[in-house]
């Protein structure tokens, strides 16, 4: 299935989609084309914004369809491209549409920082304007980009004149004390990590739902609104859902930050699992007693 996605005056062709491709998967494929993090995307299909887990087939998207992509919070994050006249006090270079280093059209310019030196960083059609000082390191620049893109520094490659400097090198050491231009690339594991983070978000939502269901079951058992057999059956259902969630989390590829979130979620799930086992034993004993009495 071939799709055309319009974004910021540009058209991006996706030629490997299918009816089973989800909105989330489509956003992941658009990331390297647009330079926009999927968390900042609004995909518009037939005038509506579908949920990430909905498939293209369910949305009625067919071969040759045209979709629209927008940036979340676009009205507040976009601003006009700076020129030499509009920013005469800045040391950074002005960027024009004829500059061969950059694409002729940009979706937006995102400014980060408040230092005296302006660095222009290009990722596809996305431009980051980093305002730093001459002692700022490459690692610090990556953290500035992370604040807007959501992409962790470990998955960023900043290129200066075609070469990748170390994280400890400073702006001054790179010869950028008067401003300059850099290119941003994402490492191969970036998309897999984004999928892992999406798994974390989904697990958090489902865990909250399971906790409510578990608490509701406990109340019913305490008030004797369920007999032992029904309670055991409900416990088994919750236990199965819990096991599936834990398996998904354990299989997710995550960053250090994501792994910490996963650990917290797994701890909560383990606690619920232990409590379920305890209640199951109590209900099993109660069920056996009831059978003996009958």
């Amino acid at each position: 299935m071939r799709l055309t996605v319009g974004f910021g005056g540009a058209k991006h062709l996706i030629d490997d989609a299918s009816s089973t491709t989800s909105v989330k998967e489509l956003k992941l494929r658009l990331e390297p084309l647009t330079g926009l993090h999927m968390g900042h995307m609004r995909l518009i299909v037939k005038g509506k914004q579908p949920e990430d887990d909905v498939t293209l087939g369910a949305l009625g998207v067919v071969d040759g369809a045209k979709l629209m992509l927008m940036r979340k919070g676009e009205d507040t994050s976009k601003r006009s491209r700076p020129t030499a006249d509009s920013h005469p006090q800045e040391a950074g270079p002005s960027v024009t549409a004829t500059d061969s280093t950059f694409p002729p059209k940009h979706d937006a310019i995102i400014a980060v920082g408040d230092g005296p030196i302006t660095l222009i960083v290009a990722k596809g059609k996305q431009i980051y304007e980093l305002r730093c000082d001459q002692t700022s390191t490459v690692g610090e620049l990556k953290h500035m980009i992370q604040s807007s893109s959501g992409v962790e520094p470990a998955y960023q490659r900043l290129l200066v004149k075609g070469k990748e400097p170390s994280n400890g090198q400073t702006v001054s050491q790179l010869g950028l004390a008067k401003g300059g231009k850099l290119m941003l690339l994402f490492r191969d594991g970036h998309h897999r990590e984004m999928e892992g983070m999406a798994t974390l978000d989904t697990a958090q939502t489902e865990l909250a739902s399971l906790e409510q269901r578990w608490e509701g079951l406990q109340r019913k058992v305490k008030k004797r609104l369920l007999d032992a057999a029904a309670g055991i059956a409900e416990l088994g259902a919750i236990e199965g859902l819990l096991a599936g969630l834990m398996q998904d989390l354990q299989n997710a590829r995550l960053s250090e930050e994501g792994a910490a979130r996963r650990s917290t979620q797994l701890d909560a799930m383990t606690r619920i699992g232990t409590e379920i086992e305890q209640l199951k034993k109590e209900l099993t004993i109660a069920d056996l007693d009831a059978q003996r009495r009958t």
Side-chain angles (χ1 to χ4, degrees):
M1 182 188 298
R2 293 168 63 89
L3 305 175
T4 301
V5 182
F7 178 52
K11 293 182 179 180
H12 302 286
L13 179 64
I14 302 293
D15 58 6
D16 59 349
S18 70
S19 60
T20 60
T21 300
S22 68
V23 171
K24 182 183 77 172
E25 291 170 336
L26 183 58
K27 287 180 178 179
L28 286 171
R29 295 180 192 181
L30 286 167
E31 276 192 342
L33 298 177
T34 63
L36 185 64
H37 183 263
M38 68 169 289
H40 299 162
M41 292 181 182
R42 292 178 58 211
L43 191 66
I44 309 301
V45 181
K46 299 180 180 180
K48 297 181 179 180
Q49 182 180 345
E51 297 294 329
D52 281 351
D53 58 352
V54 180
T55 65
L56 298 181
L59 295 171
V61 176
V62 297
D63 185 41
K66 296 180 180 180
L67 311 179
M68 181 182 295
L69 182 67
M70 299 179 67
R71 180 192 308 278
K72 289 183 179 179
E74 188 169 10
D75 291 340
T76 58
S77 64
K78 281 192 176 183
R79 64 184 184 85
S80 301
R81 176 183 299 174
T83 64
D85 293 333
S86 61
H87 293 287
Q89 77 281 9
E90 293 180 356
S94 61
V95 181
T96 66
T98 58
D99 191 332
S100 61
T101 306
F102 292 90
K105 292 182 179 180
H106 303 312
D107 296 325
I109 296 178
I110 299 178
V112 185
D114 56 3
I117 298 174
T118 299
L119 300 179
I120 303 298
V121 180
K123 173 65 177 79
K125 293 183 179 295
Q126 177 64 65
I127 297 297
Y128 298 94
E129 187 179 272
L130 307 184
R131 298 176 181 177
C132 56
D133 57 49
Q134 61 181 353
T135 62
S136 298
T137 64
V138 172
E140 290 169 343
L141 298 181
K142 290 179 179 179
H143 279 288
M144 293 172 72
I145 293 171
Q146 181 189 15
S147 68
S148 294
S149 69
V151 179
E152 293 197 5
Y155 287 96
Q156 298 178 31
R157 295 182 62 206
L158 277 177
L159 303 183
V160 181
K161 298 179 180 179
K163 297 182 179 180
E164 183 177 2
S166 67
N167 286 334
Q169 288 184 268
T170 65
V171 168
S172 177
Q173 290 171 340
L174 295 173
L176 301 174
K178 294 184 178 180
K181 305 169 186 176
L182 302 86
M183 180 178 293
L184 174 64
L185 300 175
F186 292 152
R187 298 188 188 278
D188 292 340
H190 165 62
H191 298 303
R192 288 191 293 274
E193 183 187 325
M194 290 300 101
E195 291 176 355
M197 295 302 288
T199 298
L200 276 183
D201 292 338
T202 300
Q204 185 64 44
T205 301
E206 294 186 11
L207 175 58
S209 177
L210 276 180
E211 286 178 326
Q212 291 180 351
R213 185 172 175 179
W214 164 234
E215 291 169 0
L217 176 59
Q218 287 177 299
R219 287 193 295 270
K220 289 180 180 179
V221 170
K222 186 176 181 179
K223 295 179 179 180
R224 298 185 178 181
L225 299 177
L226 287 177
D227 60 28
I232 291 172
E234 176 66 3
L235 284 173
I238 296 176
E239 202 169 30
L241 292 172
L242 198 62
L245 269 183
M246 294 180 77
Q247 187 65 48
D248 288 344
L249 282 176
Q250 289 165 348
N251 291 338
R253 177 170 178 171
L254 299 166
S255 64
E256 184 175 342
E257 178 185 353
R261 283 183 57 195
R262 172 171 59 189
S263 179
T264 300
Q265 291 182 359
L266 287 174
D267 287 346
M269 293 178 187
T270 300
R271 173 184 55 78
I272 294 174
T274 301
E275 293 173 354
I276 286 175
E277 282 299 320
Q278 181 60 37
L279 184 56
K280 187 187 292 186
K281 289 178 182 179
E282 295 173 4
L283 290 178
T284 299
I285 293 173
D287 188 41
L288 290 173
D289 289 342
Q291 291 179 26
R292 291 193 192 99
R293 287 195 295 271
T294 58

